[in-house]
Every structure is written in C-alpha cells, then in structure tokens.
Amino acid sequence: MTAHLREAQTGLERKVAERTQELTIANEKLEEASQLKSQFLANVNHELRTPVSAIIGYARLLRRETEGQIPPLQRENLRDLLNNAERLLAQIDSVLDFDTIEDGKMEVRIERVKVEEIIQGAASTIETILRDHSIKLTRDIAPEIPAMNTDREKLRQIILNLLDNAVKFTERGEIKIMASQQNGSLKLVVSDTGIGIEKGDLTRIFEEFHRGDRSSAKKYRGTGLGLAIVKQFVRLLGGEIAVESEVGKGSVFTIMLPMDHKESAAA
Ligand code: ADP
C-alpha cells in the first residue's frame, strides 16, 4: 500500500515537473513572440510609415509647385498618387493605432470641436474616392449643434472609417451622414444602400480582423480593423455604437457620443 502510494506520488511529482517545464517553455515563447511583435511594429513605423509620409510630403510639394504649369491629366495623376499614398498611410496608422489601443496606451485629448467641420472635412476626403462610383454622398447636419468637448482626431477617424466602409460596400445609391443633438449627446448616423450585412455577422464585425462573409470575397479589400478601431474610439469617447442592416438593402451605423466628455471618464 505504502509502496503504491509512494509510486503514485513520484509519478505525480514527475508530471507536475513536466507540466511546469512545458509552461515555462510556452511562457518564454509567448514573451519572445510579444517582443517580436513590438519590434515588428517599431519597424512598421520606421520602414513603412516614414517613407509613405515622405511620399505624401513630396507629392503635396509637387502639386503646389506645378500649379498651373502641368496639363490637367498629369494633375489628376498627381492627385491620385496623393490619395493613394494617404490611404496607405491611413492603413498603416490603423495597425499602429490598434496596437496602442490593445496595450491600453491610447490617449484621449479633449478640446472644443465643431462637429460640422469634421464631417465636412471627412466627407470631402471621401468624395475624392467617389469619383468613379455612381453613388451620391449627402450630409444632413442639424443647424446650431454647439461645439463639443471631445477628441477631434478620434472623432474624425470614426467618421472616416464609417464613410470609407460605406463607399467600399456600396455600388450604387446613396451614402448619408446625419448629425443631430439628442439629450446632451451627439447622434451620428452613417447609412448606405450597399450589400448589407448577414445577421450572423452583425455582432462579430466589431471584432478585430473579422471580415463579414459577404466581404471576404476578394472583391472587397480590407483588413478587418476599421470597425474594431471605431468601436474602441467610441468607447474612449464615452459613447455607444449600434448597427442595423439588411442584406441587399444597406446598413445603418448609429453612434451616440456625449457632447461634453470628461477626460477622467475616458481613463
Ligand atoms: P474591413 O472593412 O477592413 O473588412 P471593418 O472592421 O471595417 O474591416 O469591417 C468589418 C466587416 O464589416 C467588413 O469586412 C464587412 O463585412 C462589414 N461591413 C462594415 N461596414 C459595412 C457596410 N457599410 N456595409 C456592408 N458591410 C460592412
């Protein structure tokens, strides 16, 4: 009996030692992976972001300096070059942003913000990519929305990401952005008449890297990070986001954001 027990105990101790060693190795691998990820993202910043920013800078300079001196076609090419470089920069930034959010290091900078200005700016950026589409972009901004206290860049990014998706997943019809004030909150609605989202995808589209079934088809480019960033930014600004959609009819994204967001609440 005693011999049996001793044997069992030795076996158990050996198993514990084996498992502990396995866990130690797994932990080391995780740490190594995490270091590699940090190194990779630092490289993304340096090797990708820096040169793309330089391309944008030179393209802007060229556009300014050749004003009125080059034929319209070349000017158009220059504009396309600039638009595409800006898109690329936005994609790189979303990867870097996402990592910062995941690390809990994303800062919120509150300032006085006029939502109308942000919507108009984002809408004109989007209009440059709408040229070849048969889609109309309309703005419906309630008059006299007072200035808000919020993070300008994050609000801009939220609107841009939603409009960018609306353009991407809509072939014809209308994209609409609406803004109004409701019980101390800003209500933002971005709707489209695009491909719509399957019911089963509706809750998952806000997860990082999740791309809806209908969009995984190579036809629609994307990384699956856009809405995950929107959701996190909305949360950082103390708001909420909801989506309604019907396949083949279109989608409606609704955001409620406090007009007066306190920094401490974000933390
Ligand atoms: P990406 O657009 O890069 O795939 P997102 O996180 O922005 O990633 O969106 C996740 C998924 O949500 C998309 O792949 C698509 O399936 C769905 N989606 C988002 N916006 C729309 C929209 N306006 N219309 C239809 N589907 C959408």
Side-chain angles (χ1 to χ4, degrees):
M1 176 81 167
T2 320
H4 262 308
L5 266 178
R6 200 168 295 141
E7 206 175 292
Q9 191 182 355
T10 321
L12 211 61
E13 277 168 1
R14 200 180 46 236
K15 269 195 186 136
V16 170
E18 274 170 20
R19 291 285 178 277
T20 310
Q21 208 195 354
E22 279 169 21
L23 276 176
T24 312
I25 293 173
N27 218 7
E28 278 168 9
K29 280 192 180 149
L30 265 178
E31 256 169 45
E32 197 184 324
S34 161
Q35 263 175 15
L36 281 175
K37 187 182 121 189
S38 304
Q39 185 59 47
F40 171 74
L41 289 167
N43 287 345
V44 166
N45 205 358
H46 191 256
E47 304 291 336
L48 294 180
R49 199 180 187 287
T50 310
V52 176
S53 305
I55 292 172
I56 292 175
Y58 284 118
R60 284 196 183 130
L61 192 69
L62 204 59
R63 189 179 53 178
R64 224 177 18 246
E65 290 185 345
T66 55
E67 175 96 66
Q69 294 172 33
I70 53 172
L73 182 62
Q74 282 181 24
R75 233 183 131 61
E76 241 172 65
N77 290 344
L78 197 54
R79 186 183 57 193
D80 285 349
L81 185 151
L82 198 51
N83 282 341
N84 281 291
E86 278 168 353
R87 280 187 92 86
L88 180 57
L89 188 66
Q91 292 292 346
I92 296 171
D93 279 346
S94 57
V95 173
L96 294 173
D97 271 357
F98 194 73
D99 189 58
T100 316
I101 298 169
E102 269 202 320
D103 281 354
K105 290 187 188 138
M106 183 57 82
E107 284 175 13
V108 175
R109 231 170 290 137
I110 306 291
E111 50 190 321
R112 297 291 279 174
V113 174
K114 283 202 174 133
V115 70
E116 168 151 21
E117 273 174 26
I118 301 198
I119 293 179
Q120 297 295 9
S124 18
T125 306
I126 292 297
E127 263 162 355
T128 59
I129 47 172
L130 271 184
R131 261 183 320 139
D132 307 326
H133 296 58
S134 29
I135 316 169
K136 205 170 78 180
L137 171 63
T138 54
R139 304 132 160 106
D140 178 358
I141 307 170
E144 287 154 29
I145 300 179
M148 310 171 55
N149 287 324
T150 194
D151 184 315
R152 176 190 306 275
E153 269 318 299
K154 291 191 179 53
L155 181 56
R156 211 174 73 86
Q157 199 61 51
I158 289 169
I159 295 174
L160 267 178
N161 284 12
L162 290 181
L163 285 177
D164 194 46
N165 274 347
V167 173
K168 190 160 58 173
F169 297 112
T170 306
E171 249 134 66
R172 64 187 67 83
E174 187 183 29
I175 293 167
K176 202 166 174 185
I177 176 155
M178 286 177 280
S180 58
Q181 212 192 336
Q182 217 174 67
N183 310 325
S185 292
L186 173 78
K187 181 179 179 187
L188 265 179
V189 182
V190 175
S191 63
D192 64 58
T193 53
I195 61 170
I197 303 164
E198 306 269 3
K199 272 220 158 40
D201 273 327
L202 276 179
T203 48
R204 302 206 56 207
I205 51 171
F206 294 103
E207 293 169 12
E208 57 268 34
F209 309 118
H210 184 82
R211 309 201 61 227
D213 258 1
R214 300 171 60 77
S215 57
S216 327
K218 291 209 177 66
K219 190 170 166 196
Y220 302 100
R221 60 179 172 78
T223 56
L225 275 181
L227 284 181
I229 290 178
V230 167
K231 187 175 177 192
Q232 296 289 357
F233 279 6
V234 167
R235 186 182 60 83
L236 283 170
L237 300 187
E240 279 171 26
I241 181 163
V243 57
E244 287 168 75
S245 184
E246 203 176 323
V247 168
K249 291 247 167 81
S251 312
V252 182
F253 287 83
T254 305
I255 291 179
M256 299 296 287
L257 286 179
M259 299 287 293
D260 187 12
H261 183 52
K262 304 272 183 291
E263 225 151 321
S264 55

